């Protein structure tokens, strides 16, 4: 009997799949459910026509393998009260119906059928009734936000079953009852050990904050429970969650004293305890090195002087201790904290003569109303906003002094003054880039923020820039953003009005509008200075028509391509999984390195080539980590150059405190890296794991990064042929990681800064700091926080959190565009992908393309090759991952281009120069053949 080779068994479903996919388009169940929605909801997109939603690109619907996987219909004025049909989309991964105030009804328990749902966003609709228990069946759920509805009744215990949940936001509802924790067979929120966000503020929750809710193995960063009716003491257990960054417990009825161990929260940035009935001594927070914002106002602490440890909080920008029975004089060093912006100590019993010293920061605001201060040392010579109204000093003659007058703060109004004064007409508004269009408008509600000086434009610029970067990185059609009118509402939430202007057209179509809303409420990013937020959009005036899809003709091809890819990935994943399970299952967690027999030479038999180096050896070869030997740094720590005793020149990556991994993870990384051997991938020479240090030692690559060369910083000039060779090398390195490494690896941070050039200008791919084994996931990995670098991030990954090797292809495509234009991916608010694609679209005007191509490639003697190269780059950065080529295909295409270029160039007699070794030359200029 003939034995069928295993590979064919694996490919059989593939063949069947292709046949099936080619025969039908959208899954008929999904079509009928969408049609049912059409008949029960109002204002669905007008292009929901025909029998093939996936093939004819219904707005708001995204498909994969003919199944509806994503429904994002945010802020398009939907109305409806029947939601039972939603439960039929069994392949649905993302559901965002936020900002449709006309959606009024209860969430049906059939929502529990959405077994593949990862993201559920219903911000600011009009849902009411209980959150169904069945929500606990959504095992894949990573993100849920039901903010700003009228849900009532208790928080279901079943939410505790959502083991992948990272973001839980139920704020601004009418939820009652206690915070559910596990109890016998009942699960509870304490089981959510992967959760980073508990946002339960602005409800009517009562009872105590259960001590069981928190445990040291949790990953919580935001605990936001303000404005409820929680009572009892703050649990001790809160102080054991070392990852916390924001804690808001304000405006409850908490009592008792603040647990001492809160002081262990060394990552905490913002702490709000105000408006409770807390008693006992003022807590000692001197350990909170990262604290920016502290509000303890309106509590009943024991009367006390201002504690001396205030002056240890070197990061503090904002201190609110209104009405907290503070007494005695104010120590002068309170005012000299370097970052301080606001000190508000009104309604206390502070007395004596006020002395602010002379080393207070610029633009400080100090509010000391209603105390017992009798004099002010610097009253004729101070430079800050000082309010002493309601103190003895402001009685009588001095009442007219500036410091006795309460001024209204004027918030700056930011608008672009750069634009000519034109009348846009028909309700359009001028964008900061001086284009007239209809912006989407709305309000950003920040749960927390780390500053209080609203006149400091840095904060607006940061917010503006971060939003814009997020839009550009996700490939959304946004021209520019304007944030204005900061206000702090009665709940001490910071609100900004925001205008988001469309790009390329006067108006957003429904897809663009919804994608903007989805990105803002899903926020796969964290902004500097700003905590988490939600976004309420206003009604949009005037949706543009959806663009006719240019892809219709190739849909079948794409679907087949995608399914081939999925099946191959599954094959790879199964294989990788087998390999992994075969590997040392019984590794001891306590000392994973114990099994590595470390002999004198430091070689570890399980590792191919990589050696165990002693701390001493590394210390010596880097001259005790001297600055002179430092060659770079990143989030993880510093990189040093060193010469080992073996005369090998190496680059040593030394993890700093805070980026150290667990021993087991570190060991896994070393094992992984030591298996990678390819001439276009930087080689791991060894590692050091000693004295609390984790270091990775790589071969040293002398000519720096590709970015340095492209920016002209390194002095190496890259002509056309060199650029092609670098592109080929990097592609080969990545193709090796994707297709040949065992297990396959997704790099996740491909960028020109991670492509290094050796003596001969061969390129090598570096830095697998955040690499992900492909075997970890079947059809793509869903992660809670997108990893990578802004400007290179695959928009599909960014929006969906689905990681595949095509995300690397995208980032690689951005690198190709850098090779073509020599510009960084985001420059002065312009995104390279868009710049080149606009230049390509304008075929009438070929000078446009000429202008984006790097000067030294102009005039190109190989126009065909250049055009092919640009087309290749554009295919790598296609929006849909399934339409991008594999790295293997990229390698072959570049080989073709190089072969062609070789012919063109030999016939014009200067081919050799392109490949010539530059080591022998001091004068790079002489090499430009173009
Ligand atoms: C001062 O704080 C106490 C709680 O300690 C509170 O009951 C009282 O209302 C507060 N006073 C003002 C004016 O807010
Ligand atoms: C504005 O804020 C930034 C960030 O906190 C700070 O570095 C800068 O010094 C501030 N500028 C002014 C003028 O206060």
């Amino acid at each position: 009997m003939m034995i069928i080779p295993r590979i064919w068994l694996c490919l059989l479903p593939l063949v069947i799949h292709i046949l099936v996919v080619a025969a039908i388009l959208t899954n008929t169940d999904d079509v009928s459910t969408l049609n049912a929605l059409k008949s029960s909801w109002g204002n669905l997109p007008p292009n929901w026509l025909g029998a093939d939603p996936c093939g004819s690109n219904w707005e708001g619907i995204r498909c994969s393998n003919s199944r509806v996987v994503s429904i994002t219909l945010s802020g398009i004025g939907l109305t409806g009260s029947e939601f039972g049909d939603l439960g039929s989309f069994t392949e649905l991964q993302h559901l965002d119906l936020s900002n449709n105030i006309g959606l009024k009804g209860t969430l049906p328990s059939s929502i529990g059928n959405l077994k593949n749902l990862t993201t559920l966003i219903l911000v600011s609709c009009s849902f009411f009734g209980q959150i169904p228990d069945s929500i606990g069946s959504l095992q894949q759920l990573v993100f849920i936000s039901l903010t700003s509805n009228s849900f009532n009744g208790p928080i279901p215990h079943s939410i505790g079953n959502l083991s992948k949940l990272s973001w839980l936001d139920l704020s601004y509802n009418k939820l009652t009852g206690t915070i559910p924790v596990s109890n016998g067979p009942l699960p509870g929120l304490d089981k959510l050990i992967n959760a980073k966000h508990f946002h339960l503020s602005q409800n009517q929750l009562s009872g105590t904050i259960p001590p069981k809710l928190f445990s040291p193995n949790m990953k919580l960063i935001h605990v936001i429970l303000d404005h409820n009716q929680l009572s009892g003491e703050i649990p001790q257990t809160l102080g054991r969650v070392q990852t916390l960054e924001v804690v808001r417990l304000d405006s409850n009825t908490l009592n008792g004293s603040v647990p001492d161990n809160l002081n262990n929260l060394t990552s905490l940035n913002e702490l709000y305890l105000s408006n409770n009935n807390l008693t006992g001594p003022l807590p000692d927070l001197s350990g909170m090195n990262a604290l920016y914002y502290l509000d303890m106002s309106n509590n009943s602490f024991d009367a006390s002087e201002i504690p001396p440890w205030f002056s240890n909080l070197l990061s503090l920008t904002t201190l609110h201790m209104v009405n907290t029975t503070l007494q005695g004089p104010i120590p002068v060093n309170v005012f000299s904290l370097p970052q301080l912006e606001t000190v508000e100590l009104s309604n206390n019993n502070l007395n004596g003569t006020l002395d602010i010293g002379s080393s207070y920061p610029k633009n400080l605001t100090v509010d000391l109303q209603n105390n017992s201060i009798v004099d002010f040392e610097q009253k004729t010579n101070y430079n800050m906003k000082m309010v002493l109204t309601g103190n003895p000093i402001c009685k009588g003659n001095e009442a007219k002094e500036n410091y006795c007058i309460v001024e209204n703060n004027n918030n700056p109004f930011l608008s672009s003054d750069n634009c000519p004064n034109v009348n846009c007409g028909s309700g359009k508004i001028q964008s900061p880039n001086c284009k007239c269009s209809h912006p989407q408008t709305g309000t950003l509600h920040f749960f927390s923020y780390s500053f209080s000086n609203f006149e400091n434009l840095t904060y607006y610029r940061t917010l503006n820039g971060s939003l814009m970067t997020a839009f550009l990185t996700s490939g959304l059609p946004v021209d520019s953003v304007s944030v204005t009118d900061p206000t702090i509402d009665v709940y001490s939430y910071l609100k900004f009005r925001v205008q988001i202007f469309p790009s390329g057209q006067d108006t957003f179509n429904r897809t663009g509008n919804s994608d903007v809303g989805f990105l803002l409420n899903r926020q796969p990013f964290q902004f500097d200075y700003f905590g988490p937020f939600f976004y309420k959009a206003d009604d949009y005036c005037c949706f543009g028509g959806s663009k006719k899809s240019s892809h219709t003709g190739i849909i079948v091809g794409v679907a087949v391509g995608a399914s081939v890819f999925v099946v191959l990935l599954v094959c790879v994943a199964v294989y990788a999984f087998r390999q992994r399970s075969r590997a040392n299952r019984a590794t001891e967690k306590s000392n994973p390195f114990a099994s590595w027999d470390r002999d004198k030479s430091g070689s570890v038999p399980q590792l191919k080539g990589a050696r165990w180096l002693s701390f001493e050896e590394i210390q010596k070869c880097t001259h005790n980590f001297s600055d002179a030997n430092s060659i770079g740094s990143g989030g993880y720590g510093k990189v040093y150059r060193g010469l080992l005793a073996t005369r090998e020149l190496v680059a040593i990556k030394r993890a700093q405190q805070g980026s150290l991994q667990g021993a087991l993870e570190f060991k896994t990384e070393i094992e992984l890296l030591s298996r990678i051997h390819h001439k276009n991938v930087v080689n791991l020479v060894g590692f050091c794991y000693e004295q609390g240090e984790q270091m990775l030692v790589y071969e040293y690559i002398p000519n720096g990064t590709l970015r340095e060369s492209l920016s002209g910083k390194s002095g190496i000039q890259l002509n056309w042929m060199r650029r092609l060779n670098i592109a080929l090398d990097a592609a080969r390195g990545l193709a090796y990681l994707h297709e040949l490494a065992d297990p396959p690896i997704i790099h996740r941070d491909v960028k020109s800064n991670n492509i290094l050039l050796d003596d001969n200008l061969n390129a090598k791919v570096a830095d697998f700091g955040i690499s992900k084994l492909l075997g970890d996931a079947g059809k793509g990995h869903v992660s809670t926080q997108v990893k990578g670098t802004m400007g290179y991030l695959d928009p599909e990954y960014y929006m969906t959190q689905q990681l595949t090797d095509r995300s690397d292809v995208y980032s690689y495509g951005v690198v190709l565009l850098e090779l073509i234009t020599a510009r960084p991916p985001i420059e002065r608010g312009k995104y390279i992908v868009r710049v080149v694609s606009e230049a390509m679209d304008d075929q009438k005007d070929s000078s446009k393309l000429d202008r984006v191509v790097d000067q030294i490639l102009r005039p190109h003697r190989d126009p065909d090759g250049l055009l092919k190269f640009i087309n290749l780059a554009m295919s790598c950065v296609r929006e849909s991952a399934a339409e991008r080529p594999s790295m293997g295909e990229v390698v072959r295409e570049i080989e073709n281009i190089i072969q062609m270029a070789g012919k063109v160039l030999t016939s014009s007699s200067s081919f050799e120069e392109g490949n010539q070794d530059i080591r022998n030359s001091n004068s790079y200029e002489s090499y430009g053949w173009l």
Side-chain angles (χ1 to χ4, degrees):
M1 199 171 70
M2 212 181 83
I3 294 168
I4 304 171
R6 218 185 265 184
I7 181 76
W8 290 116
L9 280 181
C10 188
L11 289 180
L12 190 63
L14 175 74
V15 173
I16 293 173
H17 217 100
I18 291 173
L19 293 175
V20 171
V21 167
I24 52 162
L25 296 167
T26 311
N27 172 287
T28 48
D29 291 345
D30 287 354
V31 177
S32 55
T33 314
L34 284 170
N35 281 323
L37 285 187
K38 250 169 75 177
S39 61
S40 76
W41 290 6
N43 293 337
L44 280 164
N47 88 334
W48 280 31
L49 298 169
D52 182 21
C54 298
S56 48
N57 284 359
W58 286 15
E59 281 193 283
I61 302 297
R62 288 191 173 88
C63 299
S64 173
N65 294 319
S66 327
R67 295 301 308 267
V68 173
V69 294
S70 156
I71 301 181
T72 48
L73 295 170
S74 108
I76 61 165
L78 289 180
T79 58
S81 55
E82 252 310 310
F83 304 100
D85 293 327
L86 287 175
S88 314
F89 294 109
T90 49
E91 291 294 317
L92 195 63
Q93 294 165 17
H94 305 281
L95 177 60
D96 177 8
L97 301 175
S98 55
N99 289 309
N100 290 299
I101 208 80
L103 293 180
K104 277 194 181 89
T106 56
L107 209 53
S109 80
S110 63
I111 196 99
N113 299 338
L114 304 179
K115 299 284 188 240
N116 288 301
L117 201 67
T118 62
T119 316
L120 175 62
I121 307 181
L122 303 176
V123 174
S124 197
C125 300
S126 303
F127 286 95
F128 56 83
Q130 299 206 358
I131 301 173
D133 265 337
S134 62
I135 203 147
S137 325
L138 304 179
Q139 287 298 312
Q140 301 300 321
L141 210 56
V142 171
F143 188 102
I144 175 168
S145 181
L146 308 182
T147 301
S148 202
N149 281 282
S150 300
F151 285 108
N152 56 29
I155 299 175
H157 274 270
S158 63
I159 288 185
N161 287 328
L162 303 175
S163 60
K164 294 190 176 168
L165 198 66
S166 168
W167 185 295
L168 174 65
D169 191 340
L170 308 177
S171 57
Y172 277 94
N173 277 291
K174 296 177 175 158
L175 299 170
T176 53
T178 56
I179 297 177
V181 286
S182 58
N183 182 4
L186 280 178
L189 303 192
D190 52 312
K191 298 287 181 202
L192 299 176
I193 56 164
N194 286 312
K196 292 188 170 170
H197 304 262
F198 282 171
H199 303 173
L200 307 176
S201 55
Q202 310 275 353
N203 279 292
Q204 295 151 26
L205 299 172
S206 55
T208 59
I209 302 176
K212 201 173 183 180
L213 183 59
F214 305 109
S215 59
N217 58 347
M218 290 181 115
K219 304 190 177 87
L220 283 171
I221 58 173
H222 298 160
V223 169
I224 297 179
L225 305 177
D226 58 281
H227 293 90
N228 278 292
Q229 294 152 19
L230 298 167
S231 55
E233 299 194 2
I234 299 174
Q236 281 272 346
T237 49
L238 183 66
R240 302 205 194 121
V241 188
Q242 288 284 328
T243 41
L244 284 171
E245 292 173 11
V246 179
V247 171
R248 278 199 71 162
L249 305 178
D250 48 306
S251 295
N252 280 290
T253 53
L254 300 171
N255 56 34
S257 50
V258 178
D260 287 343
N261 69 349
L262 232 45
N263 200 21
N264 299 343
L265 298 178
T266 48
S267 301
L268 202 66
N269 298 144
E270 289 129 53
L271 177 62
Y272 297 70
L273 299 175
S274 48
N275 301 310
N276 280 294
N277 301 325
L278 297 169
T279 54
L282 267 184
D284 177 356
L285 304 179
S286 51
M288 294 192 178
N289 298 319
L291 197 64
Y292 291 103
Y293 194 110
L294 175 62
D295 191 349
M296 301 206 282
S297 301
N298 297 320
N299 279 295
S300 311
F301 296 118
D302 296 345
S304 83
E305 311 221 316
I306 292 185
W309 51 259
F310 267 145
S311 44
N312 295 352
L313 300 178
L314 292 180
S315 306
L316 205 66
T317 66
T318 309
L319 174 64
H320 293 291
M321 296 210 30
V322 177
N323 181 25
T324 42
T325 57
L326 290 172
Q327 61 191 23
I330 306 175
V332 61
N333 59 8
V334 164
F335 303 103
S336 58
L337 290 171
Q339 312 286 341
L340 207 57
E341 297 177 348
T342 304
V343 177
E344 195 185 5
L345 301 174
S346 49
N347 298 314
N348 284 295
N349 303 318
L350 299 164
N351 59 23
T353 295
L354 175 65
D355 181 359
I356 56 174
S358 56
S359 57
Y360 50 85
K362 272 190 301 191
N363 305 314
L364 187 61
T365 300
V366 175
D367 184 347
L368 297 172
Q369 291 184 60
N370 306 325
N371 278 287
S372 308
I373 293 164
V374 294
D375 203 357
F376 179 15
E377 186 82 32
Q378 289 84 1
K379 65 177 134 187
T380 56
N381 182 21
Y382 67 97
N383 181 16
M384 62 164 68
K385 267 185 224 137
M386 169 67 73
V387 187
L388 289 168
T389 318
N391 283 276
I393 183 180
C394 289
K395 301 240 165 73
N397 283 346
E398 298 196 58
K400 292 203 183 82
E401 299 291 340
N402 273 339
Y403 50 80
C404 291
I405 295 168
V406 185
E407 274 180 71
N408 278 335
N409 277 354
N410 281 330
N411 286 321
F413 178 72
L414 275 194
S415 63
S416 61
D417 315 312
N418 313 333
C419 295
N421 199 354
V422 290
N423 182 1
C424 284
S426 66
K428 288 185 204 166
I429 299 176
Q430 215 171 16
S431 80
N433 288 344
C434 314
K435 291 182 194 148
C436 290
S437 62
H438 294 288
Q440 177 183 154
T441 60
T443 310
L444 299 170
H445 297 245
F446 288 91
F447 290 102
S448 73
Y449 42 97
S450 69
F451 61 95
S452 50
N453 177 6
F454 292 93
E455 292 176 17
N456 184 337
L457 298 183
T458 302
Y459 302 120
Y460 300 81
R461 293 205 185 103
T462 303
L463 180 58
N464 220 310
S466 310
L467 287 169
M468 202 54 215
T469 308
F471 291 130
L472 290 175
T473 309
S474 339
L476 297 188
V478 174
D479 164 79
S480 50
V481 173
S482 127
V483 288
T484 55
D485 304 332
T487 47
I488 296 174
D489 68 11
V490 289
Y491 312 112
S492 47
Y493 285 35
L494 173 60
K495 295 186 202 167
F496 280 102
R497 292 291 298 162
V498 59
Q499 294 176 313
I500 301 155
F501 294 86
S503 139
Q505 283 168 310
D506 287 356
T507 61
F508 284 107
N509 62 23
R510 284 175 180 75
T511 304
N513 192 72
S514 295
D515 285 350
V516 164
F518 177 74
L519 183 72
L520 290 177
N521 274 319
R522 175 60 183 82
Q523 46 198 290
F525 40 68
Q526 247 181 299
F527 294 157
D528 285 347
Y529 312 120
F530 292 89
F533 64 91
F534 64 94
Y535 173 59
K536 274 194 181 189
D538 307 337
D539 286 342
Y540 190 55
C541 61
C542 31
F543 291 109
S546 72
K547 268 202 217 154
K548 261 270 161 270
S549 164
S550 54
H551 307 306
T552 324
I554 53 165
I555 281 294
V556 174
V558 170
V560 172
S563 60
V564 168
F565 179 55
V566 167
V567 172
L568 285 182
L569 256 177
V570 169
C571 291
V572 167
V574 167
Y575 178 67
F577 177 72
R578 290 239 181 92
Q579 288 296 107
R580 262 159 57 91
S581 15
R582 235 176 269 162
N584 229 347
R585 261 174 249 202
T587 318
E588 282 164 42
K589 239 188 172 161
S590 54
N591 183 6
F593 288 90
S595 62
W596 286 3
D597 184 24
R598 183 182 173 191
D599 63 23
K600 260 183 279 160
S601 71
S603 77
V604 179
Q606 290 89 334
L607 299 183
K608 295 191 181 126
R611 305 195 296 277
W612 191 329
L613 298 159
S614 72
F615 182 73
E616 209 174 70
E617 196 172 353
I618 292 183
Q619 200 175 21
K620 207 164 125 199
C621 86
T622 57
H623 298 113
N624 197 17
F625 304 101
S626 74
D627 282 345
N629 282 52
S630 163
I631 52 174
S633 62
Y636 52 85
K638 277 192 167 173
V639 184
Y640 297 89
R641 180 180 36 215
L643 187 62
L644 294 179
T646 54
R647 313 295 303 158
E648 280 166 285
L649 203 50
V650 291
I652 296 153
K653 194 171 138 187
R654 183 189 197 190
Q656 68 193 0
Q657 283 303 324
S659 49
L660 294 175
Q661 326 176 40
L664 189 62
E665 285 138 30
F666 186 59
K667 178 172 171 260
T668 311
E669 183 172 0
I670 295 164
E671 284 172 337
L672 170 74
L673 293 178
S674 73
R675 283 203 294 266
I676 304 298
H677 293 286
H678 186 271
K679 71 180 167 67
N680 299 118
V681 176
V682 176
N683 196 26
L684 185 74
V685 173
F687 68 97
C688 171
Y689 180 77
E690 213 175 296
Q691 305 190 8
E693 297 268 358
Q694 294 178 351
M695 292 185 257
L696 293 171
V697 181
Y698 293 95
E699 62 176 320
Y700 179 74
I701 314 290
N703 268 324
T705 69
L706 174 58
R707 174 99 300 270
E708 285 164 356
S709 288
L710 286 174
S711 67
K713 206 170 137 195
S714 68
I716 299 172
Q717 203 172 76
L718 298 176
N719 63 29
W720 174 227
M721 199 44 131
R722 282 191 188 123
R723 289 185 202 205
L724 285 177
N725 282 324
I726 288 169
L728 180 62
D729 287 345
R732 283 181 174 151
L734 289 171
Y736 166 81
L737 293 176
H738 290 178
E739 293 161 24
L740 296 171
D742 170 26
I745 291 174
I746 300 177
H747 187 295
R748 293 216 283 179
D749 200 16
V750 176
K751 55 180 172 182
S752 54
N753 261 326
N754 276 339
I755 294 173
L756 306 183
L757 302 179
D758 76 2
D759 277 334
N760 299 322
L761 297 187
N762 296 320
K764 289 173 187 253
V765 178
D767 207 348
F768 304 85
I770 55 176
S771 295
K772 188 89 209 160
L773 299 192
L774 200 47
D776 278 6
K779 50 178 178 171
H781 181 80
V782 177
S783 60
T784 51
Q785 196 85 34
V786 170
K787 304 266 166 52
T789 303
M790 287 295 191
Y792 295 91
L793 272 181
D794 166 13
E796 194 166 290
Y797 167 46
Y798 196 70
M799 294 292 276
T800 65
Q801 272 72 44
Q802 296 271 341
L803 181 68
T804 70
D805 64 0
R806 301 300 146 120
S807 301
D808 280 354
V809 174
Y810 185 92
S811 313
Y812 173 83
V814 175
V815 173
L816 293 187
L817 294 176
E818 285 181 80
L819 282 169
I820 292 160
T821 64
R823 298 186 202 182
I826 295 177
E827 190 180 45
R828 280 182 252 115
K830 295 221 161 95
Y831 187 35
I832 196 170
V833 172
R834 189 180 295 166
V835 171
V836 177
S837 95
E838 280 170 5
M840 292 285 283
D841 282 349
D842 205 348
Q843 282 168 351
K844 272 174 278 159
D845 186 3
S846 70
S847 70
K848 237 181 170 172
L849 190 58
D850 277 354
R851 253 174 287 148
V852 303
V853 170
D854 186 11
Q855 203 140 21
I856 74 159
L857 301 182
R858 283 180 260 158
H860 31 86
R861 288 207 205 148
D862 179 18
D864 287 350
L866 184 63
L867 204 58
K868 274 202 155 68
F869 194 69
I870 298 176
N871 280 326
L872 175 66
M874 294 317 290
S875 73
C876 292
V877 295
R878 279 187 193 133
E879 205 172 307
S880 155
E883 293 179 38
R884 297 174 204 148
S886 71
M887 280 321 299
E889 287 163 354
V890 170
V891 168
R892 284 187 287 284
E893 179 65 13
I894 300 180
E895 282 170 348
N896 286 339
I897 296 173
I898 289 183
Q899 211 176 14
M900 269 182 30
K903 283 191 195 124
V904 175
L905 300 177
T906 15
S907 64
S908 65
S909 84
S910 48
F911 178 44
E912 320 82 78
E913 281 178 358
N915 279 332
Q916 201 160 349
D917 191 326
I918 64 149
R919 262 182 307 183
N920 309 321
S921 165
N922 292 322
S923 151
Y924 299 123
E925 287 85 309
S926 61
Y927 280 89
W929 58 266
L930 285 166

